[in-house]
């Protein structure tokens, strides 16, 4: 090697020369060179014998430097992430957002993965102003204003009504009746009739077995009008036995009251014993006009001598088929120890008041 090359590099390099024998060793003296390099401010690379020297091109970064710089950069990036993970809560950590991209929105704001969040400015990273939420609308299903019915639940019974208003879907109650007036109610059927000599209409009086024999037979009393006349009926002579061939009979066609209860009243006229002498007078009540075809539904007695000039309420009896009949019996004593007294029973008016 030439002396000029040694002076330029400051390193003695021995170049092996071809020889038939082993190459000669070249001893590199580093001490003098090191001293010179220190004086010049640079440390030249040390090259051992047998190694080739490759010079570096000015302005080009070597590979070891690039690797070292990459490692240092990775460490610098990892350190903030490690500290942020330690300082945050136990919740899921979120990495830093790259510049120009917004962080994914939370569920429910319409964010689609892979698309920038519309609520964040993708350039500056600041949150954009959002419009106010729309007013709540009606439920998706069901009737307006009512919650959606779930499977297995019963139908909605209705919305509670406000005070003073009837529930929805039900007709309003009728208004209260004005003071002093009551709601109209169906009236029960009623009947009232009076039977006797001279009376007609729905009633009738019959003298069965009537005969005329002066004061001993049937004797008409009064003027023949309804309510002003009566008949004196002769007694059988035995207080415990009737003359089955003679009796008085009052009948009533109760009309609208086909089945119901009838209250019976008997009028006792004024007169003497030969006119009104029953003490007592016996009666039977039937729910048919053909009294011989059935049993009576009731009976009663009236002391005519003690009740002269009065209406006597004798009882209440059940009617069927709109028919009611009252029979006067002839049993009675018309004599005393001195002979015949000619005492008679009085057959005047009988009244019936019936209600279904």
């Amino acid at each position: 090697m030439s002396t000029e090359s040694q002076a330029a590099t400051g390193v003695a390099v021995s170049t092996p020369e071809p020889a038939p024998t082993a190459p000669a060793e070249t001893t590199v003296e580093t001490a003098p060179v090191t001293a010179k390099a220190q004086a010049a401010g640079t440390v030249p690379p040390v090259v051992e014998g047998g190694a080739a020297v490759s010079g570096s091109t000015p302005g080009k970064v070597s590979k070891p430097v690039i690797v070292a710089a990459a490692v240092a950069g990775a460490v610098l990036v990892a350190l903030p992430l490690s500290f942020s993970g330690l300082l945050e809560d136990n919740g899921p950590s979120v990495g830093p957002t790259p510049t120009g991209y917004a962080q994914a929105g939370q569920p429910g704001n319409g964010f689609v993965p892979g698309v920038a969040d519309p609520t964040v400015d993708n350039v500056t990273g600041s949150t954009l102003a959002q419009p106010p939420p729309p007013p709540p609308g009606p439920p998706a299903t069901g009737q307006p204003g009512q919650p959606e019915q779930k499977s297995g639940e019963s139908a909605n019974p209705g919305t509670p009504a406000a005070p003073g208003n009837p529930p929805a879907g039900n007709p309003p109650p009728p208004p209260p009746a004005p003071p002093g007036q009551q709601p109209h109610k169906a009236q029960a059927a009623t009947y009232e009739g009076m039977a006797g000599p001279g009376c007609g209409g729905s009633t009738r009086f019959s003298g069965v077995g009537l005969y005329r024999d002066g004061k001993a037979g049937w004797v008409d009393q009064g003027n023949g009008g309804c309510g002003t006349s009566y008949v004196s009926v002769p007694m059988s002579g035995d207080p415990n036995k009737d003359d089955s061939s003679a009796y008085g009979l009052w009948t009533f066609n109760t009309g609208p009251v086909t089945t119901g209860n009838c209250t019976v009243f008997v009028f006792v006229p004024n007169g003497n014993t030969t006119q009104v002498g029953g003490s007592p007078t016996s009666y039977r009540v039937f729910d048919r006009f053909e009294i011989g075809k059935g049993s009576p539904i009731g009976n009663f007695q009236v002391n005519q001598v003690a009740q002269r000039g009065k209406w006597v309420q004798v009882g209440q009896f059940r009617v069927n088929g709109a028919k009611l009949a009252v029979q006067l019996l002839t049993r009675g004593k018309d004599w005393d120890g001195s002979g015949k007294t000619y005492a008679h029973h009085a057959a005047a008016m009988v009244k019936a008041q019936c209600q279904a």
Side-chain angles (χ1 to χ4, degrees), residues 169-234:
N170 295 332
Q181 296 184 4
Q182 297 296 330
H184 177 73
K185 296 182 179 179
Q187 297 294 330
T190 59
Y191 168 82
E192 182 173 349
M194 185 174 69
C199 298
S202 61
T203 66
R204 182 181 179 186
F205 173 75
S206 301
V208 179
L210 183 150
Y211 66 94
R212 306 294 183 179
D213 187 11
K215 61 180 181 180
W218 293 62
V219 180
D220 294 329
Q221 310 290 345
N223 59 9
C226 180
T228 58
S229 303
Y230 65 95
V231 177
S232 295
V233 180

Side-chain angles (χ1 to χ4, degrees), residues 66-290:
I66 295 175
V67 173
V71 172
V75 172
L76 292 177
V77 173
L79 284 178
L81 295 178
S82 300
F83 282 113
S84 64
L86 293 176
L87 295 178
E88 288 182 356
D89 294 335
N90 295 330
S93 60
V94 180
T97 304
T99 302
Y101 290 91
Q103 183 177 347
Q106 297 298 325
N109 65 352
F111 176 77
V112 180
V115 180
D117 191 346
T119 61
V120 179
D121 190 343
N122 292 328
V123 177
T124 63
S126 61
T127 303
L128 300 177
Q130 300 183 19
T141 59
Q143 298 181 358
Q146 296 185 0
E148 179 180 359
Q149 181 178 342
K150 297 181 179 179
S151 175
E153 293 185 354
S154 59
N156 190 353
T159 304
N165 295 329
N170 295 332
Q181 296 184 4
Q182 297 296 330
H184 177 73
K185 296 182 179 179
Q187 297 294 330
T190 59
Y191 168 82
E192 182 173 349
M194 185 174 69
C199 298
S202 61
T203 66
R204 182 181 179 186
F205 173 75
S206 301
V208 179
L210 183 150
Y211 66 94
R212 306 294 183 179
D213 187 11
K215 61 180 181 180
W218 293 62
V219 180
D220 294 329
Q221 310 290 345
N223 59 9
C226 180
T228 58
S229 303
Y230 65 95
V231 177
S232 295
V233 180
M235 297 181 183
S236 66
D238 188 338
N240 299 315
K241 187 177 180 180
D242 300 315
D243 180 1
S244 59
S245 64
Y247 54 88
L249 184 65
W250 294 264
T251 60
F252 300 85
N253 187 340
T254 58
V257 181
T258 56
T259 302
N261 297 318
C262 294
T263 303
V264 177
F265 304 83
V266 174
F267 181 72
V268 180
N270 288 314
N272 56 35
T273 303
T274 61
Q275 299 170 331
V276 185
S279 181
T281 301
S282 298
Y283 301 82
R284 292 176 179 172
V285 181
F286 297 84
D287 59 357
R288 63 187 61 86
F289 295 163
E290 297 82 4

Side-chain angles (χ1 to χ4, degrees), residues 8-69:
T9 61
V11 179
V13 180
S14 59
T15 303
E17 294 180 359
T21 60
E25 291 186 1
T26 303
T27 303
V28 179
E29 295 180 2
T30 61
V33 177
T34 304
K36 293 179 181 181
Q38 289 178 353
T42 59
V43 179
V46 178
V47 181
E48 296 182 357
V53 177
S54 61
S56 59
T57 305
K60 183 177 181 182
V61 182
S62 62
K63 292 183 179 180
V65 175
I66 295 175
V67 173

